């Protein structure tokens, strides 16, 4: 039956009765080129004024390497934290009855709506030595503001909505029958979660992870206020681009920009391919 | 994105008697609430407490200040132009991607996602490279007296760029999950393409659409980095709300800065509450009917 | 299908109309003064005074729009097409760059107005916590272990470059001062810096709002402003024995004023900065006036300091920028891991 179904699908695709393919795809590509591709290509063209050797030595200079390690490393960590707590939050929001759940639900989108500069100022206020949270942490030797830990806090903050928002609808949409069946067969809650629920929400988690990671890597506005910006220690890659611009070094700035662009592009592409595969696998 | 709306079959596993023991449930809820408190509630409360540090009168006065009013107007204008354009694009893109199969689809989806992960620093820079006086089109534009960057069009363009993927991103999975049988049935029954879209597809996707619009709108109003690069920071002319916040903060006018910032936070909360309310109404209606 | 096309057409029209409608919406017969961060209060007062003066003199009404930001960022915006009639920046190098890169004004711009085109000056002083608990009196106190110094990043902030050069110049002028000694001194100083904010105002906020650091290196006018606006009971100003003469320059942007036809009023605007009224306003906002009479009247406000200039010690801004602040320059070497 699944085999037959698959064939039937393929057949119907070949003679799709739904109209508007040319129009919608044409418009999509036109608008995409106008707003995204042509402007982004200017970065590549500008950086191409470098020879390959200069380009390579610019993007692999020690200070740049340190900033990549910091930016990508902390973004990865932040995205992981968001995965764990994002799935938990989505679970609680989708499955439990909770007084004031709507408020919590609405709050999750806050990092998205708050301008990054405000987020940065606020986080620096709250987590610095004299802030509401910082004053409890500092006596224990934990310094958050103006250290790489501050960058982690900022990146976690701005990436928070993504895992929740991708996992929550999938979790709510899951058919209860499977879980019921598993329970009837004697599986305990943990087994049900890890064997039945988790595989079904994994693609959504991965998407959320990628979105949170990609967003964190490019973040500038909020990090600048809380990072301390010490060279080699707490200097993120976007700041290096700004520093290069400040010296009117446009080719240098765009060279680093191309590195960031390709990383975001490949992360997103990998996730999209992975999702496509998992969807095919699931069906 | 409330479960009740997205899962029209209305199945609540918790109600069906399958759930974790109370202790674990409490633990999970506590952990989640603590996490959200540390990362969301404390910063949010801090915004409002600093905004009101000088009292309500000062709060309202700082919102009524001329430069702030201009910033609010500019932000609303920017959102009013960029959100509909991205809405239209989102529908077109989702239609093409969800209803049809073609080579290079993953690449297309990735390119649509790209603006989301591009650093705001870069998304501002690209328009400077393109429209700046030293850029590709700058000399021509300058000769013809057209201002793009350091004026409203540049701010709008940068905003369109940063909010580019949101509607499409919401709609694509939704339309993919719904398949195309319903549309096919309508078409076989003789409905035109547009009627099918309006009567069949649109009702199915309207909540995803609304959510995408809310996200785009929130981001359009809150964008700082990219807009900061192309704005020129001319007081009373090209400052949006987030830029006005920065200016006030740098003027040592902390209470006013947070007052204006709280406006954005407040706006976000209001739209989200409104969304929940609409969802609740829809569910009431469907359960009665 | 026809309707689909109409919708697409409508959308495109909206996109284009939206762009055109907003074009030039703010074009008026006004001046745009592109300036750096700490001059907000100064130009707020000065612009009003000039508008009144201009109205009385010519009968024309005019208005000045302001844009503030980091000096380098502002210069870059002008290069990229921000149509500034006048620029009033933190250091001559930033205007040099506008001349070099975009040819918006002649290379000899600095000779067009008196006093190197700097109608007012300032210097670098220390802002310390009330009562000066760490007993900071002069530059050499800043390199003591346990003293935490707040100064912004010289790579992104014009003010921070003055701070850096002031420290360097002090070390150079000590007995037995040499480039090697100065470098060692400045390296030790930056070891005491816990945060490098991207701009001068950001650094002030870190020091004042976050309570971080024992001493803030600041423009004299910024230090006065911080004390007045944020609490006389919280901070003291310490004036070091020697410091740098900071000369923030001003200039008309020739290509812009000729295009907009605003040269007459733009030049009058800058000249008015040198008039007794303009000098008075500068002094009131804690910029050291050039006018001797006004300076004498405000002598109590501005303590006497031995001041050296960038030209004397470093051979001008182009050289200083190249040597200290460009990529691979001395500032980068201080932070490179091999040391």
């Amino acid at each position: 039956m699944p085999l037959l179904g698959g064939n039937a699908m393929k057949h119907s695709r070949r003679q799709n009765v739904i109209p508007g393919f040319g129009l919608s795809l044409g418009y999509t590509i036109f608008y995409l080129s106008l707003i995204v591709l042509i402007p982004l290509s200017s970065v590549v063209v500008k950086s191409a004024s470098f020879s390959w050797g200069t380009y390579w030595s610019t993007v692999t200079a020690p200070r740049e390497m340190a900033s990549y390690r910091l930016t990508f490393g902390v973004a990865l960590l932040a995205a992981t934290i968001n995965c764990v707590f994002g799935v938990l939050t989505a679970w609680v929001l989708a499955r439990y009855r909770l007084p004031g759940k709507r408020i919590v639900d609405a709050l999750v989108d806050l990092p998205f709506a708050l301008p990054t500069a405000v987020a940065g100022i606020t986080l620096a206020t709250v987590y610095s030595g004299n802030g509401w949270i910082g004053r409890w942490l500092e006596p224990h030797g934990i310094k958050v503001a103006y250290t790489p830990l501050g960058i982690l806090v900022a990146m976690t903050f701005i990436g928070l909505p993504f895992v929740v928002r991708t996992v929550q609808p999938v979790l709510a949409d899951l058919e209860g029958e499977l879980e019921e069946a598993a329970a009837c067969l004697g599986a305990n809650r943990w087994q049900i979660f890890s064997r039945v629920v988790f595989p079904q929400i994994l693609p959504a988690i991965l998407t959320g992870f990628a979105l949170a990671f990609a967003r964190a890597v490019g973040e500038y506005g909020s990090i600048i206020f809380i990072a301390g910006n010490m060279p080699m220690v707490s200097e993120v890659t976007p700041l290096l681009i700004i520093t290069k611009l400040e010296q009117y070094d446009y080719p240098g700035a765009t060279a680093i920009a191309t590195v960031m662009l390709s990383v975001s592009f490949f992360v997103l592409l990998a996730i999209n391919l992975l999702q496509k595969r998992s969807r095919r696998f699931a069906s | 994105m409330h479960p009740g709306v997205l899962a029209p079959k209305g199945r609540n596993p918790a109600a069906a008697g399958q759930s974790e023991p109370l202790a674990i449930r409490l633990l999970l809820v506590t952990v989640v609430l603590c996490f959200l408190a540390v990362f969301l509630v404390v910063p949010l409360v801090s915004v409002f407490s600093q905004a009101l540090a000088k009292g309500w009168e000062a709060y309202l006065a700082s919102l009524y200040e001329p430069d702030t009013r201009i910033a609010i107007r500019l932000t609303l204008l920017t959102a009013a132009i960029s959100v509909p354009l991205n809405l239209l694009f989102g529908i077109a893109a989702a239609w093409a991607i969800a209803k049809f199969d073609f080579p290079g689809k993953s690449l297309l989806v990735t390119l649509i996602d790209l603006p989301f992960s591009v650093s705001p620093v870069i998304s501002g820079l690209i328009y400077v490279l393109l429209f700046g006086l030293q850029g590709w089109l700058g000399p021509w534009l300058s000769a013809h007296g057209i201002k793009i960057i350091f004026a409203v069009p540049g701010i709008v363009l940068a905003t369109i760029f940063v909010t580019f993927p949101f509607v499409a991103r919401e709609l694509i999975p939704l339309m993919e999950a719904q398949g195309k049988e319903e549309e096919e049935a309508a078409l076989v029954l003789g409905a035109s393409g547009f009627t099918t879209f309006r009567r069949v597809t649109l009702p199915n996707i309207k909540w995803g659409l609304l959510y995408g619009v809310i996200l785009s709108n929130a981001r359009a109003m809150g964008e700082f980095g990219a807009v900061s690069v192309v704005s020129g920071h001319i007081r009373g002319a090209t400052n949006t709300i987030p830029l006005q916040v920065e200016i006030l903060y740098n003027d040592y006018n902390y209470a006013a800065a947070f007052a204006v910032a709280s406006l954005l936070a407040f706006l976000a909360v209001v739209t989200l509450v409104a969304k929940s309310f609409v969802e609740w109404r829809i569910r009431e209606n469907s359960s009665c009917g | 299908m026809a309707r689909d096309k109409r919708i697409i057409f409508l959308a495109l029209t909206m996109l284009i109309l939206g762009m055109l409608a907003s074009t030039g919406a703010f074009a008026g017969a006004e001046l745009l003064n592109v300036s750096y961060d700490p001059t907000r209060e100064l130009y707020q007062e000065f612009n009003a005074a000039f508008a009144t003066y201009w109205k009385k003199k010519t009968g024309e009404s005019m208005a000045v729009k302001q844009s503030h930001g980091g000096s380098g960022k502002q210069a870059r915006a002008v290069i990229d097409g921000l149509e500034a009639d006048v620029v009033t920046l933190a250091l001559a190098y930033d205007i040099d760059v506008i001349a070099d890169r975009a040819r918006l004004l002649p290379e000899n711009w600095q000779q067009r107005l008196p006093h190197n085109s700097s109608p007012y000056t300032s210097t670098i002083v220390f802002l310390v916590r009330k009562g000066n608990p760490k007993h900071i009196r002069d530059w050499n106190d800043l390199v003591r272990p346990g003293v935490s110094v707040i100064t912004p990043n010289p790579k992104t902030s014009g003010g921070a470059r003055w701070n850096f050069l002031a420290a360097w110049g002090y070390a150079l002028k000590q007995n037995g001062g040499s480039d090697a000694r100065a470098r060692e001194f400045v390296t030790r100083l930056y070891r005491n810096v816990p945060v490098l904010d991207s701009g001068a105002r950001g650094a002030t906020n870190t020091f004042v709002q976050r309570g971080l650091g024992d001493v803030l290196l600041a423009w004299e006018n910024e230090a006065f402003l911080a004390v007045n606006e944020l609490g006389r009971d919280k901070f003291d100003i310490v004036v070091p024995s020697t410091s740098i003469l900071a000369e923030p320059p001003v200039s008309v942007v020739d290509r812009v004023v000729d295009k907009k036809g605003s040269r007459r009023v733009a030049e009058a605007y800058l000249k008015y900065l040198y008039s007794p009224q303009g000098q008075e306003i500068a002094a009131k906002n804690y910029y050291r006036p050039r006018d001797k009479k006004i300076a004498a009247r405000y002598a109590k406000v501005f303590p006497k300091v031995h001041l050296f200039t960038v030209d004397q010690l470093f051979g001008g801004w182009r050289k200083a920028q190249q040597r200290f602040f460009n990529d691979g320059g001395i500032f980068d070497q201080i932070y490179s891991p091999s040391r």
Side-chain angles (χ1 to χ4, degrees):
Chain A
M1 191 53 198
L3 258 174
L4 258 179
N7 275 342
M9 286 282 280
K10 250 181 214 153
H11 189 69
S12 80
R13 250 175 223 148
R14 220 171 290 139
Q15 0 171 285
N16 205 328
V17 292
I18 293 180
F21 176 65
L23 187 70
S24 59
L25 186 68
Y27 179 65
T28 302
I29 291 176
F30 167 74
Y31 190 72
L32 181 74
S33 314
L34 194 70
I35 301 289
V36 179
L37 298 184
I38 295 173
L40 278 183
S41 68
S42 65
V43 169
V44 180
V45 171
K46 193 85 188 180
S47 68
S49 59
F50 271 157
S51 74
W52 178 246
T54 337
Y55 175 84
W56 189 248
S57 63
T58 305
V59 300
T60 56
R63 196 142 161 217
E64 274 71 11
M65 293 308 279
S67 85
Y68 302 146
R69 269 195 296 278
L70 176 78
T71 312
F72 295 123
V74 178
L76 214 58
L77 206 59
T80 312
I81 293 176
N82 274 328
C83 268
V84 175
F85 287 96
V87 171
L88 272 181
T89 309
W91 183 270
V92 167
L93 286 177
R95 295 273 166 120
Y96 296 164
R97 280 155 208 265
L98 205 67
K101 192 161 97 173
R102 257 169 219 296
I103 301 172
V104 177
D105 200 10
L107 260 183
V108 169
D109 281 322
L110 180 76
F112 205 80
L114 212 58
T116 50
V118 178
I121 293 169
T122 311
L123 289 174
T125 311
V126 170
Y127 283 93
S128 70
N130 59 3
W132 289 353
I133 295 181
R135 81 169 62 131
W136 297 101
L137 296 176
E138 197 127 311
H140 302 286
I142 307 172
K143 277 195 181 162
V144 179
Y146 311 118
T147 66
L149 201 59
I151 303 178
L152 181 67
V153 168
M155 285 183 172
T156 310
F157 177 82
I158 56 153
L160 199 145
F162 298 109
V163 179
V164 181
R165 288 304 179 225
T166 48
V167 173
Q168 196 184 353
V170 181
L171 214 48
D173 240 0
L174 282 187
E175 302 285 336
E177 282 91 350
L178 275 176
E179 287 174 60
E180 273 169 35
C184 290
L185 292 171
N188 63 29
R189 281 308 288 169
W190 175 246
Q191 282 172 325
I192 293 178
F193 178 78
S194 59
R195 303 265 177 85
V196 179
V197 178
F198 187 72
Q200 297 190 74
I201 59 169
L202 186 62
I205 297 180
L206 282 179
T207 311
F209 177 85
L211 292 177
F213 173 76
R215 181 76 210 281
V217 164
E219 181 56 19
Y220 175 73
S222 63
I223 289 176
I224 210 74
F225 286 98
I226 198 173
N229 310 322
M230 302 303 283
M232 311 297 294
V233 178
S234 52
E235 202 175 42
V236 293
T237 312
L239 176 62
L240 278 186
I241 298 181
I242 294 279
T243 313
K244 294 250 184 231
L245 287 179
E246 214 56 50
Q247 295 161 45
Y248 310 98
D249 181 5
Y250 279 66
T254 49
I256 304 176
T258 54
V259 173
M260 296 196 72
L261 277 182
S262 18
V263 170
S264 347
F265 176 78
F266 284 112
V267 169
L268 292 172
L269 185 66
I271 290 296
N272 281 330
L273 291 174
L274 204 70
Q275 260 198 319
K276 206 170 154 195
R277 251 186 68 190
S278 75
R279 209 176 303 129
R280 202 172 296 156
F281 184 72
S283 66
Chain B
M1 191 144 287
H2 196 273
V5 174
L6 269 182
K9 279 171 203 140
R11 183 164 267 289
N12 191 342
Q18 342 164 356
S19 193
E20 292 75 27
L22 184 65
I24 294 192
R25 255 187 293 165
L26 278 179
L27 180 74
L28 288 185
V29 170
T30 317
V31 168
V32 166
L33 290 184
C34 285
F35 176 73
L36 293 182
V38 169
F39 278 95
L40 292 181
V41 180
V42 173
L44 184 66
V45 173
S46 141
V47 168
F48 281 98
S49 95
Q50 299 199 48
L52 294 171
K54 287 188 182 161
W56 277 101
E57 255 165 56
Y59 179 86
L60 291 176
S62 58
L63 292 185
Y64 203 67
E65 207 256 336
D67 280 3
T68 303
R69 264 159 50 208
I70 290 170
I72 293 172
R73 206 182 316 148
L74 178 59
T75 299
L76 292 179
L77 174 74
T78 307
I81 300 175
S82 57
V83 173
L85 284 171
N86 282 338
L87 175 68
L88 197 80
F89 161 75
I91 294 172
W95 185 266
I97 288 164
K99 306 285 178 194
F100 301 94
D101 243 2
F102 51 91
K105 201 153 118 175
S106 294
L107 182 71
L108 184 64
V109 174
T110 306
L111 287 176
I112 291 174
D113 282 345
L114 199 57
F116 166 83
S117 67
V118 170
S119 177
V121 171
I122 301 176
S123 28
L125 175 64
I126 55 178
Y127 290 108
V128 173
L129 290 176
L130 213 53
F131 299 117
L133 199 53
Q134 319 299 316
W136 294 352
L137 299 174
W140 186 87
L141 291 172
S142 163
H144 290 77
I146 304 173
K147 279 195 216 166
I148 302 261
I149 55 167
F150 309 122
V152 179
I155 296 173
V156 173
L157 270 177
T159 308
I160 292 179
F161 184 90
V162 294
T163 56
F164 189 81
F166 293 115
V167 178
R169 251 290 147 202
E170 278 306 313
L171 290 186
I172 292 169
L174 202 62
M175 282 167 77
E176 272 179 345
Q178 282 165 354
K180 51 192 176 191
E181 284 79 7
E182 289 182 39
E183 279 88 355
E184 280 167 349
L187 289 161
V188 168
L189 291 174
S192 77
F194 185 72
T195 312
T196 309
F197 172 75
R198 196 163 51 90
R199 304 286 286 272
V200 179
T201 314
L202 207 55
N204 276 337
I205 60 170
K206 64 182 172 202
W207 295 112
L209 207 64
L210 181 63
Y211 192 66
V213 166
I214 286 174
L215 285 186
S216 296
N217 189 52
R219 190 91 167 87
M221 291 186 172
E223 176 55 24
F224 171 76
V227 170
S228 155
V229 177
V230 295
S231 133
H233 300 98
I234 304 169
R235 299 195 156 200
T238 62
N239 284 318
T240 59
I241 298 180
L243 299 180
Q244 183 68 13
V245 172
E246 190 208 18
I247 283 181
L248 290 169
Y249 187 75
N250 279 340
D251 280 354
Y252 307 127
N253 207 342
Y254 305 120
F258 280 100
V260 179
S262 73
L263 202 64
L264 284 167
F266 186 67
L267 218 65
V269 174
V270 165
T271 36
L272 292 164
V273 168
K275 181 184 65 110
S276 303
F277 178 73
V278 176
E279 285 171 357
W280 173 74
R281 280 298 298 269
I282 295 291
R283 213 152 7 104
E284 289 285 290
N285 285 347
S286 67
S287 66
C288 290
Chain C
M1 276 311 271
R3 212 185 294 178
D4 286 355
K5 268 184 196 145
R6 219 177 304 149
I7 289 173
I8 303 296
F9 180 73
L10 197 75
L12 282 179
T13 324
M14 258 175 72
L15 179 73
I16 291 158
L17 276 185
M19 284 177 178
L20 291 184
S22 36
T23 308
F26 294 107
E30 63 214 349
L31 288 185
L32 175 60
N33 177 0
V34 171
S35 193
Y36 62 114
D37 269 325
T39 57
R40 294 163 204 252
E41 291 75 15
L42 166 65
Y43 281 109
Q44 208 167 8
E45 194 175 343
F46 178 77
N47 289 347
F50 179 73
T52 319
Y53 158 81
W54 190 248
K55 177 92 186 168
K56 211 185 279 169
K57 193 182 163 208
T58 65
E60 299 162 28
S61 27
M62 59 86 61
V64 186
K65 282 239 183 292
Q66 283 294 138
S67 167
H68 295 276
S71 187
K73 188 183 174 189
Q74 295 290 75
R76 218 168 59 242
V78 172
I79 289 173
D80 283 327
L82 180 59
E83 294 196 329
D85 301 271
V86 296
V87 283
T88 53
L89 296 176
L91 36 97
Y93 178 72
D94 288 327
I95 302 185
D96 281 342
V97 169
I98 300 176
D100 294 352
R101 303 246 158 187
R103 315 231 157 268
L104 296 181
L105 39 86
E107 239 167 87
N108 69 344
W109 63 270
Q110 209 166 1
Q111 270 93 62
R112 294 193 294 188
L113 287 167
H115 302 294
N116 286 330
S117 288
S118 312
Y120 41 79
T121 67
S122 190
T123 185
I124 302 301
V125 298
F126 307 155
L127 192 66
V128 297
R129 311 251 169 232
K130 190 77 194 172
N132 198 358
K134 296 258 170 146
H135 310 291
I136 291 156
R137 299 270 166 254
D138 207 351
W139 288 97
N140 52 6
D141 292 316
L142 302 183
V143 300
R144 284 200 324 244
V147 172
S148 167
V149 183
I150 304 292
T151 174
N153 189 341
K155 303 203 66 149
T156 51
S157 155
R161 278 174 227 169
W162 290 110
N163 294 351
F164 183 102
L165 294 180
W168 190 282
Y170 165 83
L172 213 54
K173 287 191 161 260
Q174 297 310 296
N175 281 337
S178 64
D179 277 343
R181 284 279 183 85
R183 184 183 175 130
E184 196 221 320
F185 179 81
V186 171
T187 305
R188 276 169 64 202
L189 195 158
Y190 276 88
R191 290 270 146 79
N192 281 348
V193 177
V195 183
L196 289 170
D197 281 288
S198 56
R201 287 265 157 129
T204 311
N205 277 324
T206 298
F207 183 76
V208 170
Q209 285 288 93
R210 310 279 155 269
L212 209 70
D214 303 307
V215 51
L216 171 77
L217 306 188
W219 298 95
E220 186 174 42
N221 52 295
E222 279 286 280
F224 274 113
L225 189 73
V227 167
N228 286 342
E229 296 247 323
L230 304 165
R232 286 175 185 284
D233 49 338
K234 285 189 199 145
F235 308 104
D236 285 329
I237 295 175
V238 172
V239 180
S241 64
T242 309
S243 196
I244 197 160
L245 178 71
E247 299 180 294
V250 299
S251 180
V252 162
V253 183
D254 296 63
R255 280 258 292 273
V256 175
V257 291
D258 289 342
K259 187 178 155 197
K260 285 173 40 176
S262 53
R263 181 180 281 279
R264 195 170 59 99
V265 57
E267 281 176 350
Y269 178 78
L270 293 187
K271 284 225 178 72
Y272 194 64
L273 277 171
Y274 288 91
S275 73
Q277 294 85 346
Q279 292 285 295
E280 177 95 40
I281 292 173
K284 262 200 280 179
N285 285 282
Y286 308 110
Y287 287 86
R288 295 184 176 218
R290 294 283 196 179
D291 188 308
K292 295 245 163 51
K293 267 191 222 145
I294 311 272
R297 212 176 322 142
Y298 282 85
K300 256 198 242 154
V301 181
F302 302 111
K304 276 210 175 347
V305 194
H306 292 287
L307 295 172
F308 53 85
T309 66
V310 175
D311 289 348
Q312 286 164 5
L313 285 196
F314 306 103
W317 264 107
R318 281 171 220 250
K319 276 189 191 158
Q321 172 73 25
Q322 182 78 23
R323 181 173 165 211
F324 293 103
F325 307 119
N326 274 0
D327 268 3
I330 289 176
F331 179 75
D332 280 350
Q333 291 164 25
I334 286 176
Y335 278 100
S336 67
S338 56
R339 293 178 59 87

